[in-house]
Coordinates of all heavy atoms in Angstrom, one line a residue:
M609 N 4.6 -14.0 -1.2 CA 4.9 -12.7 -0.6 C 3.9 -11.7 -1.1 O 3.8 -11.4 -2.3 CB 6.4 -12.4 -1.0 CG 6.8 -11.0 -0.5 SD 8.5 -10.6 -1.2 CE 8.0 -9.3 -2.3
S610 N 3.3 -11.0 -0.2 CA 2.4 -10.0 -0.5 C 3.0 -8.6 -0.3 O 3.8 -8.4 0.6 CB 1.2 -10.1 0.4 OG 0.2 -9.1 0.1
L611 N 2.8 -7.7 -1.3 CA 3.4 -6.4 -1.2 C 2.6 -5.5 -0.2 O 1.4 -5.6 -0.1 CB 3.2 -5.7 -2.6 CG 4.0 -6.3 -3.7 CD1 3.6 -5.7 -5.0 CD2 5.5 -5.9 -3.5
P612 N 3.4 -4.7 0.5 CA 2.7 -3.8 1.5 C 2.0 -2.7 0.7 O 2.3 -2.5 -0.5 CB 3.9 -3.1 2.2 CG 5.1 -3.9 1.9 CD 4.9 -4.7 0.7
E613 N 1.0 -2.1 1.3 CA 0.2 -1.1 0.6 C 1.0 0.1 0.1 O 0.7 0.6 -1.0 CB -1.0 -0.6 1.5 CG -2.0 0.2 0.9 CD -2.7 -0.6 -0.3 OE1 -2.9 -1.8 -0.2 OE2 -3.0 0.1 -1.3
R614 N 2.0 0.5 0.8 CA 2.8 1.6 0.3 C 3.5 1.3 -1.0 O 3.7 2.1 -1.9 CB 3.7 2.1 1.4 CG 4.9 1.2 1.7 CD 5.8 1.8 2.8 NE 7.0 1.1 2.8 CZ 7.3 0.1 3.6 NH1 6.3 -0.5 4.3 NH2 8.4 -0.5 3.6
H615 N 4.0 0.0 -1.2 CA 4.6 -0.4 -2.4 C 3.6 -0.5 -3.5 O 3.9 -0.1 -4.7 CB 5.3 -1.7 -2.2 CG 6.5 -1.6 -1.3 ND1 7.1 -2.8 -0.8 CD2 7.2 -0.6 -0.8 CE1 8.2 -2.4 -0.1 NE2 8.2 -1.1 -0.1
K616 N 2.4 -1.0 -3.2 CA 1.3 -1.1 -4.2 C 1.0 0.3 -4.7 O 0.8 0.5 -5.9 CB 0.1 -1.8 -3.7 CG 0.3 -3.2 -3.6 CD -1.0 -3.9 -3.2 CE -0.9 -5.4 -3.0 NZ -2.1 -6.1 -2.7
K617 N 0.9 1.3 -3.8 CA 0.6 2.6 -4.2 C 1.6 3.2 -5.1 O 1.3 3.9 -6.1 CB 0.5 3.5 -2.9 CG 0.0 4.9 -3.2 CD -0.2 5.6 -1.9 CE -0.8 7.0 -2.1 NZ -1.0 7.7 -0.8
Q618 N 2.9 3.0 -4.8 CA 4.0 3.4 -5.7 C 3.9 2.8 -7.0 O 4.1 3.4 -8.1 CB 5.4 3.1 -5.0 CG 6.5 3.5 -5.8 CD 7.9 3.1 -5.2 OE1 7.9 2.5 -4.2 NE2 9.0 3.4 -5.9
L619 N 3.7 1.5 -7.1 CA 3.6 0.8 -8.4 C 2.4 1.2 -9.2 O 2.4 1.3 -10.4 CB 3.5 -0.8 -8.1 CG 4.8 -1.3 -7.6 CD1 4.6 -2.8 -7.1 CD2 6.0 -1.2 -8.6
R620 N 1.2 1.5 -8.5 CA 0.1 2.0 -9.2 C 0.4 3.3 -9.9 O 0.0 3.6 -11.0 CB -1.1 2.2 -8.3 CG -1.8 0.9 -8.0 CD -3.1 1.1 -7.3 NE -3.1 1.9 -6.1 CZ -3.0 1.4 -4.8 NH1 -3.0 0.0 -4.7 NH2 -3.0 2.1 -3.8
R621 N 1.1 4.2 -9.2 CA 1.5 5.5 -9.7 C 2.4 5.3 -11.0 O 2.3 6.0 -12.0 CB 2.3 6.3 -8.7 CG 2.5 7.7 -9.0 CD 3.1 8.5 -7.8 NE 4.2 7.9 -7.1 CZ 4.1 7.5 -5.8 NH1 3.1 7.7 -5.1 NH2 5.2 7.0 -5.3
L622 N 3.3 4.3 -10.9 CA 4.2 4.1 -12.0 C 3.5 3.5 -13.2 O 3.8 3.7 -14.4 CB 5.4 3.2 -11.6 CG 6.4 3.8 -10.6 CD1 7.4 2.7 -10.1 CD2 7.2 4.9 -11.3
G623 N 2.5 2.6 -12.9 CA 1.8 1.9 -13.9 C 0.7 2.6 -14.6 O 0.1 2.2 -15.6
H624 N 0.3 3.8 -14.1 CA -0.9 4.5 -14.5 C -0.8 4.8 -16.0 O -1.7 4.6 -16.8 CB -1.1 5.8 -13.7 CG -2.2 6.6 -14.2 ND1 -3.5 6.2 -13.9 CD2 -2.3 7.7 -14.9 CE1 -4.3 7.1 -14.5 NE2 -3.6 8.0 -15.0
A625 N 0.3 5.3 -16.5 CA 0.5 5.8 -17.9 C 0.9 4.7 -18.8 O 0.9 4.9 -20.0 CB 1.5 6.9 -17.9
R626 N 1.1 3.5 -18.3 CA 1.5 2.4 -19.2 C 0.4 1.8 -20.0 O -0.8 1.9 -19.5 CB 2.2 1.3 -18.4 CG 3.5 1.7 -17.8 CD 4.1 0.6 -17.0 NE 5.3 1.1 -16.3 CZ 6.4 0.5 -16.3 NH1 6.6 -0.7 -16.9 NH2 7.4 1.0 -15.6
K627 N 0.7 1.3 -21.1 CA -0.3 0.7 -22.0 C -0.2 -0.8 -21.7 O 0.8 -1.4 -21.4 CB 0.0 0.9 -23.5 CG 0.0 2.4 -23.8 CD -1.4 2.8 -24.1 CE -1.4 4.2 -24.7 NZ -2.4 5.1 -24.2
P628 N -1.3 -1.6 -22.0 CA -1.2 -3.1 -21.8 C -0.2 -3.7 -22.8 O -0.2 -3.3 -24.0 CB -2.7 -3.5 -22.2 CG -3.5 -2.4 -21.9 CD -2.7 -1.2 -22.2
V629 N 0.7 -4.5 -22.3 CA 1.7 -5.1 -23.0 C 1.2 -6.4 -23.6 O 1.6 -6.8 -24.7 CB 3.0 -5.3 -22.2 CG1 4.0 -6.1 -22.9 CG2 3.5 -4.0 -21.7
V630 N 0.4 -7.1 -22.9 CA -0.1 -8.4 -23.3 C -1.6 -8.4 -23.2 O -2.2 -7.9 -22.3 CB 0.5 -9.6 -22.3 CG1 -0.1 -10.9 -22.8 CG2 2.0 -9.5 -22.4
I631 N -2.2 -9.0 -24.2 CA -3.7 -9.1 -24.3 C -4.0 -10.6 -24.3 O -3.6 -11.3 -25.2 CB -4.3 -8.4 -25.5 CG1 -3.9 -6.9 -25.4 CG2 -5.7 -8.6 -25.6 CD1 -4.3 -6.1 -26.6
V632 N -4.8 -11.0 -23.3 CA -5.3 -12.4 -23.3 C -6.6 -12.4 -24.0 O -7.6 -11.8 -23.5 CB -5.4 -12.9 -21.8 CG1 -5.9 -14.3 -21.8 CG2 -4.1 -12.8 -21.1
G633 N -6.7 -13.1 -25.1 CA -7.9 -13.1 -25.9 C -8.9 -14.2 -25.5 O -8.8 -14.8 -24.5
A634 N -9.9 -14.4 -26.4 CA -11.0 -15.4 -26.1 C -10.4 -16.8 -26.1 O -11.1 -17.7 -25.5 CB -12.0 -15.3 -27.3
Q635 N -9.3 -17.1 -26.7 CA -8.7 -18.4 -26.6 C -8.2 -18.7 -25.2 O -7.9 -19.9 -24.9 CB -7.6 -18.6 -27.6 CG -8.0 -19.3 -28.9 CD -8.4 -18.2 -29.9 OE1 -7.6 -17.3 -30.1 NE2 -9.5 -18.4 -30.6
G636 N -8.0 -17.7 -24.4 CA -7.6 -17.9 -23.0 C -6.1 -18.0 -22.9 O -5.3 -17.5 -23.7
L637 N -5.6 -18.6 -21.8 CA -4.2 -18.7 -21.6 C -3.5 -19.9 -22.3 O -3.8 -21.0 -22.0 CB -3.9 -18.8 -20.0 CG -4.4 -17.6 -19.2 CD1 -4.3 -18.0 -17.8 CD2 -3.6 -16.4 -19.6
R638 N -2.7 -19.6 -23.2 CA -1.9 -20.6 -23.9 C -0.5 -20.5 -23.5 O -0.1 -19.6 -22.8 CB -2.1 -20.4 -25.4 CG -3.5 -20.5 -25.8 CD -3.6 -20.7 -27.3 NE -5.0 -20.9 -27.7 CZ -5.4 -21.8 -28.4 NH1 -4.5 -22.6 -29.0 NH2 -6.7 -22.0 -28.7
D639 N 0.3 -21.4 -23.9 CA 1.8 -21.4 -23.6 C 2.4 -20.1 -24.1 O 3.3 -19.6 -23.5 CB 2.4 -22.6 -24.2 CG 2.0 -23.9 -23.5 OD1 1.5 -23.8 -22.3 OD2 2.2 -25.0 -24.1
S640 N 2.0 -19.7 -25.3 CA 2.6 -18.5 -25.8 C 2.3 -17.3 -25.0 O 3.1 -16.4 -24.8 CB 2.1 -18.3 -27.3 OG 0.7 -18.1 -27.3
V641 N 1.1 -17.2 -24.4 CA 0.8 -16.1 -23.5 C 1.6 -16.1 -22.3 O 2.1 -15.1 -21.8 CB -0.7 -16.1 -23.2 CG1 -1.1 -15.0 -22.2 CG2 -1.6 -15.9 -24.5
H642 N 1.7 -17.3 -21.7 CA 2.6 -17.4 -20.5 C 4.0 -17.0 -20.8 O 4.7 -16.3 -20.0 CB 2.6 -18.9 -20.0 CG 1.3 -19.3 -19.3 ND1 0.9 -18.7 -18.1 CD2 0.3 -20.1 -19.7 CE1 -0.3 -19.2 -17.8 NE2 -0.6 -20.1 -18.7
A643 N 4.5 -17.4 -21.9 CA 5.9 -17.1 -22.3 C 6.1 -15.6 -22.5 O 7.0 -15.0 -22.1 CB 6.3 -17.8 -23.6
E644 N 5.1 -14.9 -23.1 CA 5.1 -13.5 -23.4 C 5.1 -12.7 -22.1 O 5.8 -11.7 -21.9 CB 4.0 -13.1 -24.3 CG 4.1 -11.6 -24.8 CD 5.3 -11.3 -25.6 OE1 5.8 -12.2 -26.3 OE2 5.8 -10.2 -25.4
I645 N 4.2 -13.1 -21.2 CA 4.1 -12.4 -19.9 C 5.4 -12.6 -19.1 O 5.9 -11.7 -18.4 CB 2.9 -12.9 -19.1 CG1 1.6 -12.4 -19.8 CG2 2.9 -12.5 -17.7 CD1 0.3 -12.8 -19.2
A646 N 6.0 -13.8 -19.1 CA 7.2 -14.1 -18.4 C 8.3 -13.2 -18.9 O 9.1 -12.6 -18.2 CB 7.6 -15.5 -18.5
A647 N 8.4 -13.1 -20.2 CA 9.4 -12.2 -20.9 C 9.2 -10.7 -20.5 O 10.1 -10.0 -20.3 CB 9.5 -12.4 -22.4
A648 N 7.9 -10.3 -20.6 CA 7.6 -8.9 -20.3 C 7.9 -8.6 -18.8 O 8.5 -7.5 -18.5 CB 6.2 -8.6 -20.6
L649 N 7.6 -9.5 -17.9 CA 7.9 -9.2 -16.5 C 9.4 -9.2 -16.3 O 9.9 -8.4 -15.5 CB 7.3 -10.3 -15.6 CG 5.8 -10.2 -15.4 CD1 5.2 -11.4 -14.8 CD2 5.5 -9.0 -14.5
L650 N 10.2 -10.0 -17.0 CA 11.6 -10.0 -16.8 C 12.2 -8.7 -17.4 O 13.1 -8.1 -16.8 CB 12.2 -11.2 -17.6 CG 13.6 -11.6 -17.2 CD1 13.8 -11.9 -15.8 CD2 14.1 -12.8 -18.1
R651 N 11.6 -8.2 -18.5 CA 12.1 -7.0 -19.1 C 11.7 -5.7 -18.4 O 12.5 -4.8 -18.2 CB 11.6 -7.0 -20.6 CG 12.4 -6.2 -21.5 CD 12.0 -6.3 -23.0 NE 10.6 -6.7 -23.1 CZ 10.2 -7.9 -23.7 NH1 11.0 -8.8 -24.1 NH2 8.9 -8.2 -23.8
H652 N 10.4 -5.7 -17.9 CA 9.9 -4.4 -17.4 C 9.6 -4.5 -15.9 O 9.4 -3.4 -15.3 CB 8.6 -4.0 -18.1 CG 8.7 -3.9 -19.6 ND1 9.4 -2.9 -20.1 CD2 8.3 -4.7 -20.6 CE1 9.4 -3.0 -21.4 NE2 8.7 -4.1 -21.8
E653 N 9.4 -5.6 -15.3 CA 9.0 -5.8 -13.9 C 7.6 -5.4 -13.6 O 6.9 -6.1 -12.9 CB 9.9 -5.1 -12.9 CG 11.3 -5.6 -12.8 CD 12.1 -4.9 -11.8 OE1 12.0 -3.7 -11.7 OE2 12.9 -5.6 -11.1
L654 N 7.1 -4.4 -14.2 CA 5.7 -3.9 -14.0 C 5.0 -3.9 -15.4 O 5.4 -3.2 -16.3 CB 5.7 -2.5 -13.5 CG 4.4 -1.9 -13.0 CD1 3.8 -2.6 -11.8 CD2 4.6 -0.4 -12.6
V655 N 3.9 -4.7 -15.5 CA 3.3 -5.0 -16.7 C 1.8 -4.8 -16.6 O 1.2 -5.3 -15.7 CB 3.6 -6.4 -17.2 CG1 2.9 -6.7 -18.5 CG2 5.1 -6.5 -17.5
K656 N 1.2 -4.2 -17.6 CA -0.3 -4.2 -17.7 C -0.7 -5.3 -18.6 O -0.2 -5.5 -19.7 CB -0.8 -2.8 -18.2 CG -1.2 -1.9 -17.2 CD -1.9 -0.7 -17.8 CE -2.2 0.4 -16.7 NZ -2.7 1.6 -17.3
V657 N -1.8 -6.0 -18.2 CA -2.3 -7.1 -19.0 C -3.8 -6.9 -19.2 O -4.5 -6.6 -18.3 CB -2.1 -8.5 -18.3 CG1 -2.7 -9.6 -19.1 CG2 -0.7 -8.7 -18.1
R658 N -4.3 -6.9 -20.5 CA -5.7 -6.8 -20.7 C -6.3 -8.2 -20.9 O -5.8 -9.0 -21.7 CB -5.9 -6.0 -22.0 CG -7.4 -6.0 -22.4 CD -7.7 -5.1 -23.6 NE -7.6 -3.7 -23.3 CZ -8.5 -3.0 -22.7 NH1 -9.6 -3.6 -22.3 NH2 -8.4 -1.7 -22.4
L659 N -7.3 -8.5 -20.1 CA -8.0 -9.8 -20.1 C -9.3 -9.6 -21.0 O -10.3 -9.3 -20.4 CB -8.3 -10.3 -18.7 CG -7.1 -10.4 -17.9 CD1 -7.5 -10.5 -16.4 CD2 -6.3 -11.7 -18.2
A660 N -9.2 -9.9 -22.2 CA -10.4 -9.9 -23.1 C -11.1 -11.2 -23.1 O -11.4 -11.8 -24.2 CB -10.0 -9.4 -24.5
V661 N -11.4 -11.7 -21.9 CA -12.1 -13.0 -21.8 C -13.5 -12.7 -21.3 O -13.7 -11.8 -20.5 CB -11.3 -13.8 -20.7 CG1 -12.0 -15.2 -20.5 CG2 -9.8 -14.0 -21.1
G662 N -14.4 -13.4 -21.9 CA -15.9 -13.3 -21.6 C -16.3 -12.7 -20.3 O -16.1 -11.5 -20.1
E663 N -16.9 -13.5 -19.5 CA -17.5 -13.0 -18.2 C -16.5 -12.8 -17.1 O -15.4 -13.2 -17.2 CB -18.6 -14.0 -17.8 CG -19.7 -14.2 -18.8 CD -20.7 -15.2 -18.4 OE1 -20.7 -15.6 -17.2 OE2 -21.5 -15.6 -19.2
R664 N -17.0 -12.2 -16.1 CA -16.2 -11.9 -14.9 C -15.6 -13.1 -14.3 O -14.4 -13.1 -13.9 CB -17.0 -11.1 -13.9 CG -16.2 -10.8 -12.6 CD -17.0 -10.0 -11.7 NE -16.5 -8.6 -12.0 CZ -16.7 -7.6 -11.1 NH1 -17.4 -7.8 -10.1 NH2 -16.3 -6.4 -11.4
A665 N -16.3 -14.2 -14.1 CA -15.8 -15.4 -13.5 C -14.7 -16.0 -14.4 O -13.7 -16.4 -13.8 CB -16.9 -16.4 -13.4
A666 N -14.8 -15.9 -15.7 CA -13.7 -16.4 -16.6 C -12.5 -15.5 -16.4 O -11.4 -16.0 -16.5 CB -14.2 -16.4 -18.0
R667 N -12.7 -14.2 -16.3 CA -11.5 -13.3 -16.2 C -10.9 -13.6 -14.8 O -9.6 -13.5 -14.8 CB -12.0 -11.8 -16.2 CG -12.3 -11.3 -17.6 CD -12.4 -9.8 -17.7 NE -13.3 -9.3 -16.7 CZ -14.6 -9.0 -16.9 NH1 -15.2 -9.3 -18.1 NH2 -15.4 -8.4 -16.0
D668 N -11.6 -13.7 -13.8 CA -11.1 -14.0 -12.5 C -10.2 -15.3 -12.5 O -9.1 -15.4 -12.0 CB -12.2 -14.2 -11.4 CG -12.8 -12.9 -11.1 OD1 -12.3 -11.8 -11.4 OD2 -13.9 -12.9 -10.5
A669 N -10.8 -16.3 -13.1 CA -10.0 -17.6 -13.2 C -8.8 -17.5 -14.1 O -7.7 -18.0 -13.7 CB -10.9 -18.7 -13.8
A670 N -8.9 -16.7 -15.2 CA -7.7 -16.5 -16.0 C -6.6 -15.7 -15.3 O -5.4 -16.0 -15.4 CB -8.1 -15.8 -17.3
L671 N -7.0 -14.7 -14.6 CA -6.1 -13.9 -13.8 C -5.4 -14.7 -12.7 O -4.2 -14.6 -12.5 CB -6.8 -12.7 -13.2 CG -5.9 -11.7 -12.5 CD1 -4.7 -11.2 -13.4 CD2 -6.7 -10.5 -11.9
A672 N -6.2 -15.5 -12.0 CA -5.6 -16.4 -10.9 C -4.6 -17.4 -11.5 O -3.5 -17.5 -11.0 CB -6.7 -17.1 -10.2
A673 N -4.9 -18.0 -12.6 CA -4.0 -18.9 -13.3 C -2.7 -18.2 -13.8 O -1.6 -18.7 -13.7 CB -4.7 -19.6 -14.5
L674 N -2.9 -17.0 -14.3 CA -1.8 -16.2 -14.8 C -0.9 -15.8 -13.6 O 0.4 -15.9 -13.8 CB -2.4 -14.9 -15.5 CG -1.4 -14.0 -16.1 CD1 -0.8 -14.7 -17.3 CD2 -2.1 -12.8 -16.6
L675 N -1.4 -15.4 -12.5 CA -0.6 -15.0 -11.4 C 0.2 -16.2 -10.8 O 1.4 -16.1 -10.5 CB -1.5 -14.4 -10.3 CG -2.1 -13.0 -10.6 CD1 -3.0 -12.6 -9.5 CD2 -0.9 -12.0 -10.7
E676 N -0.5 -17.4 -10.8 CA 0.1 -18.6 -10.2 C 1.3 -19.0 -11.2 O 2.4 -19.3 -10.7 CB -0.9 -19.7 -10.1 CG -0.3 -20.9 -9.5 CD -1.4 -22.0 -9.3 OE1 -2.6 -21.7 -9.2 OE2 -1.0 -23.2 -9.2
A677 N 1.0 -19.0 -12.5 CA 2.0 -19.5 -13.4 C 3.2 -18.5 -13.5 O 4.4 -19.0 -13.7 CB 1.4 -19.7 -14.8
S678 N 3.0 -17.2 -13.4 CA 4.1 -16.3 -13.6 C 4.8 -15.9 -12.3 O 5.9 -15.4 -12.4 CB 3.5 -15.0 -14.2 OG 2.7 -14.3 -13.3
G679 N 4.2 -16.2 -11.1 CA 4.8 -15.8 -9.9 C 4.8 -14.3 -9.6 O 5.5 -13.8 -8.8
A680 N 3.9 -13.6 -10.3 CA 3.8 -12.2 -10.2 C 2.8 -11.8 -9.1 O 2.0 -12.6 -8.7 CB 3.3 -11.5 -11.5
E681 N 2.8 -10.6 -8.6 CA 1.9 -10.0 -7.6 C 0.9 -9.1 -8.4 O 1.3 -8.4 -9.3 CB 2.7 -9.1 -6.6 CG 3.5 -9.9 -5.7 CD 2.8 -10.4 -4.5 OE1 1.7 -9.9 -4.2 OE2 3.3 -11.4 -3.9
L682 N -0.3 -9.3 -8.0 CA -1.4 -8.4 -8.5 C -1.3 -7.0 -7.8 O -1.4 -7.0 -6.5 CB -2.8 -9.0 -8.3 CG -3.9 -8.1 -8.8 CD1 -3.8 -7.9 -10.3 CD2 -5.2 -8.8 -8.5
V683 N -1.0 -6.0 -8.5 CA -1.0 -4.6 -7.9 C -2.3 -4.0 -7.9 O -2.8 -3.4 -6.9 CB 0.1 -3.8 -8.6 CG1 0.1 -2.4 -8.1 CG2 1.5 -4.4 -8.5
Q684 N -3.0 -4.1 -9.1 CA -4.3 -3.4 -9.2 C -5.1 -4.1 -10.3 O -4.5 -4.6 -11.3 CB -4.1 -2.0 -9.6 CG -5.3 -1.2 -9.7 CD -5.0 0.3 -10.1 OE1 -4.1 0.6 -10.7 NE2 -5.9 1.2 -9.6
R685 N -6.4 -4.1 -10.2 CA -7.2 -4.6 -11.3 C -8.4 -3.7 -11.4 O -9.1 -3.4 -10.5 CB -7.7 -6.0 -11.0 CG -8.6 -6.5 -12.1 CD -9.1 -7.9 -11.8 NE -10.2 -8.1 -12.8 CZ -11.0 -9.1 -12.7 NH1 -11.0 -9.9 -11.6 NH2 -11.9 -9.3 -13.6
I686 N -8.6 -3.2 -12.6 CA -9.7 -2.3 -12.9 C -10.4 -2.9 -14.2 O -9.8 -2.8 -15.3 CB -9.3 -0.9 -13.2 CG1 -8.7 -0.3 -11.9 CG2 -10.5 0.0 -13.6 CD1 -8.1 1.1 -12.0
G687 N -11.5 -3.5 -14.0 CA -12.2 -4.0 -15.2 C -11.5 -5.1 -15.9 O -11.2 -6.2 -15.3
H688 N -11.1 -5.0 -17.1 CA -10.4 -5.9 -17.9 C -8.9 -5.8 -17.8 O -8.2 -6.6 -18.4 CB -10.8 -5.8 -19.4 CG -12.3 -6.1 -19.6 ND1 -12.7 -7.4 -20.0 CD2 -13.4 -5.4 -19.6 CE1 -14.0 -7.4 -20.1 NE2 -14.4 -6.1 -19.9
V689 N -8.4 -4.8 -17.1 CA -7.0 -4.6 -17.1 C -6.4 -4.8 -15.7 O -6.9 -4.4 -14.7 CB -6.7 -3.1 -17.5 CG1 -5.2 -2.8 -17.4 CG2 -7.2 -2.8 -18.9
A690 N -5.3 -5.6 -15.7 CA -4.6 -5.9 -14.4 C -3.2 -5.4 -14.5 O -2.5 -5.5 -15.6 CB -4.6 -7.4 -14.2
L691 N -2.7 -4.9 -13.4 CA -1.3 -4.5 -13.3 C -0.5 -5.5 -12.5 O -0.9 -5.7 -11.3 CB -1.3 -3.1 -12.7 CG 0.1 -2.4 -12.5 CD1 0.6 -2.1 -13.9 CD2 -0.1 -1.1 -11.8
L692 N 0.5 -6.1 -13.1 CA 1.3 -7.1 -12.4 C 2.7 -6.7 -12.2 O 3.3 -5.9 -12.9 CB 1.3 -8.4 -13.3 CG 0.0 -8.9 -13.8 CD1 0.3 -10.1 -14.7 CD2 -0.9 -9.3 -12.7
Y693 N 3.3 -7.2 -11.0 CA 4.7 -6.8 -10.7 C 5.4 -8.1 -10.3 O 4.9 -8.9 -9.5 CB 4.7 -5.8 -9.5 CG 6.1 -5.6 -9.0 CD1 7.0 -4.8 -9.7 CD2 6.5 -6.1 -7.8 CE1 8.3 -4.6 -9.2 CE2 7.7 -5.9 -7.3 CZ 8.6 -5.2 -8.0 OH 9.9 -5.0 -7.5
R694 N 6.6 -8.2 -10.8 CA 7.5 -9.3 -10.4 C 8.9 -8.7 -10.4 O 9.4 -8.3 -11.4 CB 7.4 -10.5 -11.2 CG 8.3 -11.7 -10.7 CD 8.2 -12.9 -11.5 NE 8.8 -12.7 -12.7 CZ 8.7 -13.5 -13.8 NH1 7.9 -14.6 -13.7 NH2 9.4 -13.3 -14.9
R695 N 9.6 -8.7 -9.3 CA 10.9 -8.1 -9.2 C 11.9 -9.0 -10.0 O 11.8 -10.2 -9.9 CB 11.3 -8.1 -7.7 CG 12.6 -7.4 -7.4 CD 12.9 -7.4 -5.9 NE 14.1 -6.6 -5.6 CZ 15.3 -7.2 -5.5 NH1 15.4 -8.5 -5.6 NH2 16.3 -6.4 -5.2
H696 N 12.8 -8.3 -10.7 CA 13.8 -9.0 -11.4 C 14.8 -9.6 -10.4 O 15.2 -9.0 -9.5 CB 14.6 -8.0 -12.3 CG 15.4 -8.6 -13.3 ND1 16.7 -9.2 -13.0 CD2 15.3 -8.8 -14.7 CE1 17.2 -9.7 -14.1 NE2 16.4 -9.5 -15.1
P697 N 15.1 -10.9 -10.6 CA 15.9 -11.6 -9.7 C 17.4 -11.1 -9.5 O 17.9 -11.2 -8.4 CB 16.0 -13.1 -10.2 CG 15.5 -13.0 -11.6 CD 14.7 -11.8 -11.8
E698 N 17.9 -10.5 -10.6 CA 19.3 -10.1 -10.5 C 19.5 -8.6 -10.6 O 20.3 -8.0 -9.9 CB 20.1 -10.7 -11.6 CG 20.2 -12.2 -11.4 CD 20.5 -12.9 -12.8 OE1 20.7 -12.2 -13.8 OE2 20.4 -14.1 -12.8
R699 N 18.7 -7.9 -11.5 CA 18.9 -6.5 -11.7 C 17.6 -5.8 -11.6 O 16.9 -5.5 -12.6 CB 19.5 -6.2 -13.0 CG 20.9 -6.8 -13.2 CD 21.3 -6.5 -14.6 NE 20.2 -6.9 -15.5 CZ 20.3 -7.7 -16.6 NH1 21.4 -8.1 -17.0 NH2 19.2 -8.0 -17.3
P700 N 17.1 -5.5 -10.4 CA 15.8 -4.8 -10.3 C 15.9 -3.4 -10.9 O 16.8 -2.7 -10.7 CB 15.5 -4.8 -8.8 CG 16.7 -5.3 -8.1 CD 17.7 -5.8 -9.1
R701 N 14.8 -3.0 -11.6 CA 14.8 -1.7 -12.3 C 14.0 -0.7 -11.4 O 14.2 0.5 -11.4 CB 14.1 -1.8 -13.7 CG 14.9 -2.7 -14.6 CD 14.1 -2.9 -15.9 NE 14.8 -2.0 -16.8 CZ 14.4 -1.6 -17.9 NH1 13.1 -1.9 -18.3 NH2 15.0 -0.8 -18.8
I702 N 13.0 -1.3 -10.7 CA 12.1 -0.4 -9.9 C 12.5 -0.6 -8.4 O 12.6 -1.7 -7.9 CB 10.6 -0.9 -10.0 CG1 10.2 -0.7 -11.5 CG2 9.8 0.0 -9.1 CD1 8.9 -1.2 -11.8
V703 N 12.9 0.5 -7.8 CA 13.3 0.5 -6.4 C 12.1 0.9 -5.6 O 11.5 2.0 -5.7 CB 14.4 1.5 -6.2 CG1 14.8 1.6 -4.7 CG2 15.6 1.2 -7.0
L704 N 11.6 -0.1 -4.8 CA 10.5 0.2 -3.9 C 10.9 0.9 -2.6 O 11.9 0.4 -2.0 CB 9.8 -1.1 -3.6 CG 9.2 -1.8 -4.8 CD1 8.6 -3.2 -4.4 CD2 8.1 -1.0 -5.5
E705 N 10.2 1.9 -2.3 CA 10.6 2.7 -1.1 C 10.0 2.2 0.2 O 8.9 1.8 0.2 CB 10.2 4.2 -1.3 CG 10.8 4.8 -2.5 CD 10.2 6.2 -2.8 OE1 9.2 6.6 -2.2 OE2 10.7 6.8 -3.8

């Protein structure tokens, strides 16, 4: 499911002031990183992730794997920071207009 542009715009506005919650380091994506991102998405729905992984191709691959594993939508990516959104299945906190 792809988010419409108006929802992405609203989520970018909400995510602007947030700090990265999870940092993916040089070791890449481990099970602990996947678990932490899943917990953060469940708790906050909208999460910033810093990808401190080498080159651009490695960051792209890590981000693609992260999105696939978490089931989240990419809202925005600027350099090493990605903004991810996944609606809470039972109690959504963010109401998309």
Side-chain angles (χ1 to χ4, degrees):
M609 177 185 108
S610 182
L611 290 169
E613 190 58 36
R614 70 179 195 274
H615 291 168
K616 286 185 180 183
K617 187 175 181 179
Q618 178 186 0
L619 292 169
R620 283 193 302 264
R621 188 172 49 244
L622 291 171
H624 178 73
R626 294 181 186 225
K627 302 275 188 221
V629 175
V630 178
I631 298 174
V632 179
Q635 263 95 45
L637 296 173
R638 298 194 176 229
D639 291 338
S640 59
V641 174
H642 287 294
E644 186 63 33
I645 288 176
L649 284 167
L650 196 59
R651 203 172 26 245
H652 302 289
E653 292 183 321
L654 187 64
V655 175
K656 267 189 183 176
V657 177
R658 175 175 286 283
L659 299 161
V661 181
E663 297 179 13
R664 174 174 267 196
R667 284 193 310 266
D668 290 345
L671 182 59
L674 185 67
L675 291 172
E676 185 178 336
S678 68
E681 289 278 336
L682 178 65
V683 176
Q684 182 180 32
R685 177 179 170 197
I686 298 176
H688 295 269
V689 179
L691 185 62
L692 309 179
Y693 171 75
R694 186 178 72 193
R695 186 175 185 267
H696 192 285
E698 296 157 5
R699 296 176 314 227
R701 302 176 102 198
I702 299 173
V703 178
L704 296 176
E705 299 171 356

